[in-house]
Amino acid sequence: MNMQKHKLDILVFAPYSGIIEHAIPEALTLEAMDEIANIHYVGCNGIYKDLCLTMSAHGKKYNSSQAEKDAICKKCQQAKEAIQQKFNFNYYNLEDFLTEQIPDDFFKNIENIFDFSIEDLPLGKISLYEVILENKKNSLDFDTEEKAYYETSFKNVLITFFASKKMFEQINPDRVVMYNTLYSTNNTVYQYALNRHVNSYVMHAGMNWENRLNTMILAKDTTFQYEDILLDTWTKFQDHPIDKEYARMITKHFEHILNSKSAFNYSVKVNDGFKFYDHFPKAKDKKIFLATLSSLDERLAYNLVGQRNIIEGELFKSQIDWISWLIEYFKLHNDWYLIIRVHPREFPNKRYKNISDNAKLLKSKFINLPNNITINWPDEKISIYNLATETDVLLNSHSSSSLDFLFLGLPVVVYDKDILTFPIDLHYSGCTEESYKLAIQKALQDSWSFQNIYKLYKWMNYKLNLSVFDLSDGLRSFFDEKTLIEKILYKIFYKYYLKYRLRFIRKIKRDENKIQMLLLHSLNTRIDTIEANSNDDDELVRKEFTYFKNKYSNLYSGTKLGNKISG
């Protein structure tokens, strides 16, 4: 590879070392750049003492005791120290760039936080992200506690902004790198870099739930631009070959979801003893449709913090409009049965313990339904895979349930390509009322198809494998499940255990050149570093699905889906 003589100066905004699931893969990815760049790694020495992401990741809230928050802060400092000893970067703390303390009355004199901006940066809006997500808001109507949390977030954002001014002046970076640009403090640095015309790169764990921490998304701008680029270049790579190892990892990804192993999997674990028609007796002898909703707070947050202007489709302006239309449509089809599944994130779950604003709205909306329509609420604790056993067609707006059903060979109908993060060619679709009706009828007529599975594997190979960097040769078994003794050591001797485990990490080699190429030439994603090829993997995918079918044969035995798969 032809290297430049002058090294890049890369500013890394990384104040949350205590989230080691992010911080360790991040540092390992940065180490791959050391031949081409000076890494300026900016951490934190406790300045976000009122609340920070590390504290939130460990279950603390803005109104937790200061002693509890200080204990997390101490562990974060220990993790930062371990990273500094392991990796040879230029290290700074945010405090180094704050030449003077921000006076308390600075905050008190701001009348309207929401509209507050400095240098064309909407800091008031940027500060909303975590507040909206953690409280599952679909509006800015905050109660007293939510308002106090917002003010805490805003203070952190202001601190970050003032530090950024000196940080950029002193380091004068060629590139800026951070883990997830959506977090309010990170977004502040991202927006500041954008205003200074400095290319930013976002890091994020890969999307395969089986090995996500062993892979890394590294892409220009934000994860949303990354998603858009994948969609734009999909046709070029849609026939790219899948190797055997990658095919197995795709299968493992869906097994992980089926067993609900992660806090990011909102659906409950599949229940082998679930009796579909005991729960939905009125669905017997009918064609069964499942309509899956998405949570609204995430979309509101993305819009408000200025990283994505998410719109609904032309046909339906909101999910409520869509569901209202479906209810009226299904009234005309007594031989059809519709299950409306409210997104599990709307109710208390492994990550967020409260009920969302949207769930309260839905509860008031779904009353006096026809006999052939029912609601599946999250508190019924039914896995979406249990619903799939008898479902004929999935009706979806933009939730990831599309992928789960395509993996099982079932048809999926969507109503507008502009709101999707998946290729439209995987689905049946219609953007007018008549074409949408025809798409529903066509999907029902076509029924189960192996082609749905095959196309899904191709897309997942592209997204889960080709577009992410492989860190596994460096991380080795760092994130493997700990033994009981290791868990005890981790809890009691955190600092020393972490330093000990980091000794076994090695510099990555497999994707080192591709990471360097991406940063040197300001490329968009890993996709830009590889050549598209073509190959028919039909037989490989058939073998993978046969493996899955056989492993979970008890789940699908005697069901409608099981009969279709066997047939």
Side-chain angles (χ1 to χ4, degrees):
M1 183 174 172
N2 184 22
M3 299 293 180
Q4 295 179 352
K5 290 183 180 179
H6 169 67
K7 283 190 171 186
L8 298 173
D9 283 297
I10 297 180
L11 165 61
V12 183
F13 183 70
Y16 305 115
S17 300
I19 310 177
I20 60 169
E21 295 85 353
H22 297 179
I24 302 303
E26 175 185 57
L28 195 63
T29 306
L30 294 168
E31 187 183 37
M33 307 173 194
D34 63 1
E35 290 183 25
I36 63 160
N38 302 306
I39 307 297
H40 304 277
Y41 189 101
V42 180
C44 166
N45 202 34
I47 198 164
Y48 298 142
K49 61 183 176 59
D50 294 330
L51 185 69
C52 74
L53 284 175
T54 303
M55 296 172 193
S56 296
H58 287 81
K60 306 309 172 191
K61 300 187 179 299
Y62 86 93
N63 55 0
S64 296
S65 72
Q66 193 59 51
E68 289 179 297
K69 291 187 281 191
D70 287 347
I72 300 301
C73 192
K74 181 181 178 181
K75 293 186 88 170
C76 192
Q77 298 301 313
Q78 291 173 342
K80 181 182 71 173
E81 180 186 335
I83 290 171
Q84 289 178 346
Q85 289 185 6
K86 174 66 179 177
F87 298 97
N88 187 29
F89 304 147
N90 302 314
Y91 289 100
Y92 312 79
N93 288 315
L94 267 173
E95 290 83 347
D96 300 336
F97 303 103
L98 287 170
T99 52
E100 58 185 50
Q101 187 70 27
I102 303 170
D104 287 338
D105 59 2
F106 183 93
F107 303 97
K108 295 174 183 176
N109 292 333
I110 298 173
E111 294 182 5
N112 187 346
I113 294 178
F114 178 74
D115 290 327
F116 183 83
S117 295
I118 301 180
E119 297 181 12
D120 295 324
L121 293 180
L123 301 187
K125 293 183 177 67
I126 287 172
S127 306
L128 286 164
Y129 184 71
E130 291 90 343
V131 184
I132 289 175
L133 285 192
E134 289 187 29
N135 293 287
K136 300 180 182 177
K137 304 293 292 182
N138 64 2
S139 73
L140 297 180
D141 182 16
F142 291 169
D143 62 24
T144 303
E145 289 191 0
E146 291 163 349
K147 185 178 178 183
Y149 183 12
Y150 181 32
E151 290 170 351
T152 301
S153 176
F154 179 62
K155 183 176 181 180
N156 287 347
V157 162
L158 277 178
I159 288 170
T160 307
F161 169 78
F162 286 116
S164 294
K165 292 170 71 69
K166 189 73 174 177
M167 195 159 58
F168 275 74
E169 178 185 324
Q170 182 174 323
I171 296 172
N172 191 24
D174 300 296
R175 310 279 188 271
V176 175
V177 176
M178 70 200 73
Y179 197 103
N180 194 340
T181 56
L182 283 165
Y183 298 141
S184 55
T185 51
N186 296 14
N187 194 9
T188 303
V189 177
Y190 166 71
Q191 300 280 2
Y192 192 88
L194 204 62
N195 279 8
R196 290 175 61 95
H197 307 291
V198 178
N199 283 334
S200 289
Y201 282 81
V202 62
M203 285 186 180
H204 200 286
M207 297 301 177
N208 187 319
W209 299 118
E210 181 67 19
N211 72 336
R212 62 186 297 271
L213 296 178
N214 284 318
T215 60
M216 180 68 78
I217 295 168
L218 177 62
K220 190 184 287 186
D221 287 315
T222 70
T223 51
F224 294 118
Q225 276 87 344
Y226 161 78
E227 297 277 2
D228 288 342
I229 288 166
L230 292 192
L231 287 175
D232 289 343
T233 54
W234 162 238
T235 54
K236 181 180 176 182
F237 286 88
Q238 64 185 358
D239 295 321
H240 196 86
I242 312 171
D243 71 34
K244 189 174 181 179
E245 179 186 354
Y246 281 172
R248 178 50 50 93
M249 289 309 300
I250 294 168
T251 309
K252 290 288 186 182
H253 166 76
F254 287 102
E255 287 189 67
H256 197 290
I257 297 171
L258 183 142
N259 291 299
S260 193
K261 291 182 179 179
S262 168
F264 297 97
N265 302 142
Y266 292 108
S267 181
V268 297
K269 181 180 178 180
V270 72
N271 178 2
D272 284 340
F274 180 76
K275 304 296 183 185
F276 185 94
Y277 292 106
D278 286 352
H279 203 90
F280 303 104
K282 294 178 182 178
K284 195 74 173 174
D285 300 322
K286 295 183 184 293
K287 297 296 184 182
I288 299 170
F289 294 76
L290 178 66
T292 46
L293 297 176
S294 298
S295 53
L296 294 185
D297 57 317
E298 293 172 308
R299 297 166 72 77
L300 174 65
Y302 301 156
N303 281 354
L304 287 172
V305 303
Q307 289 210 17
R308 181 145 210 158
N309 182 24
I310 298 179
I311 58 172
E312 290 292 343
E314 293 182 11
L315 180 55
F316 304 112
K317 301 303 179 186
S318 70
Q319 285 192 110
I320 290 293
D321 287 346
W322 172 52
I323 293 299
S324 297
W325 184 91
L326 285 176
I327 290 171
E328 293 302 312
Y329 184 52
F330 272 74
K331 283 180 181 179
L332 306 176
H333 295 274
N334 289 326
D335 56 337
W336 292 1
Y337 191 83
L338 176 64
I339 301 170
I340 301 169
R341 181 176 173 86
V342 176
H343 196 284
R345 192 181 181 282
E346 305 281 22
F347 277 56
N349 54 68
K350 287 178 278 190
R351 295 188 72 197
Y352 303 110
K353 303 305 181 185
N354 57 319
I355 188 171
S356 73
D357 287 353
N358 192 48
K360 297 169 188 174
L361 174 64
L362 293 173
K363 276 187 172 289
S364 66
K365 180 72 176 177
F366 295 146
I367 54 176
N368 300 321
L369 292 173
N371 287 332
N372 65 332
I373 301 176
T374 192
I375 310 300
N376 168 218
W377 296 102
D379 56 8
E380 295 175 79
K381 300 190 183 305
I382 302 174
S383 167
I384 196 168
Y385 280 89
N386 284 125
L387 296 181
T389 59
E390 300 293 339
T391 298
D392 292 284
V393 176
L394 177 71
L395 306 174
N396 192 25
S397 54
H398 44 264
S399 100
S400 60
S401 57
S402 278
L403 305 179
D404 302 322
F405 274 64
L406 289 166
F407 174 73
L408 297 172
L410 291 165
V412 178
V413 184
V414 296
Y415 57 80
D416 197 304
K417 64 181 178 64
D418 292 332
I419 63 174
L420 291 180
T421 55
F422 323 115
I424 191 67
D425 61 341
L426 302 182
H427 307 78
Y428 296 81
S429 64
C431 58
T432 66
E433 191 170 325
E434 284 308 308
S435 63
Y436 185 57
K437 288 179 183 178
L438 288 172
I440 292 173
Q441 292 162 4
K442 183 73 166 63
L444 183 60
Q445 176 185 327
D446 290 350
S447 186
W448 184 91
S449 170
F450 173 75
Q451 278 305 304
N452 292 330
I453 300 169
Y454 183 62
K455 289 188 293 185
L456 187 277
Y457 264 84
K458 284 291 194 178
W459 166 251
M460 297 306 275
N461 182 54
Y462 175 60
K463 184 169 183 179
L464 302 186
N465 300 325
L466 302 182
S467 72
V468 299
F469 292 100
D470 188 347
L471 311 182
S472 60
D473 61 330
L475 281 171
R476 300 187 177 184
S477 58
F478 189 86
F479 290 113
D480 284 359
E481 188 172 349
K482 301 180 185 68
T483 65
L484 179 60
I485 293 176
E486 287 175 328
K487 287 178 181 177
I488 294 171
L489 291 172
Y490 181 83
K491 190 170 185 178
I492 300 175
F493 304 107
Y494 175 83
K495 173 182 178 181
Y496 302 104
Y497 176 80
L498 196 57
K499 288 181 178 179
Y500 171 75
R501 292 291 291 130
L502 279 170
R503 290 175 58 192
F504 297 97
I505 284 181
R506 297 289 181 267
K507 190 171 185 179
I508 63 171
K509 295 296 182 184
R510 191 172 298 165
D511 267 345
E512 181 182 33
N513 286 346
K514 287 184 172 59
I515 291 171
Q516 293 175 4
M517 191 185 305
L518 187 79
L519 271 292
L520 268 177
H521 302 295
S522 293
L523 305 179
N524 291 310
T525 72
R526 185 180 185 273
I527 291 295
D528 294 330
T529 70
I530 60 178
E531 294 293 327
N533 293 310
S534 180
N535 187 48
D536 184 0
D537 315 285
D538 183 289
E539 190 58 34
L540 174 61
V541 175
R542 286 184 188 277
K543 287 180 179 178
E544 273 304 303
F545 189 71
T546 299
Y547 154 82
F548 176 84
K549 180 183 70 173
N550 291 341
K551 185 172 181 178
Y552 296 96
S553 58
N554 289 341
L555 174 62
Y556 298 106
S557 178
T559 68
K560 189 186 294 184
L561 177 58
N563 293 335
K564 290 175 179 176
I565 291 171
S566 299

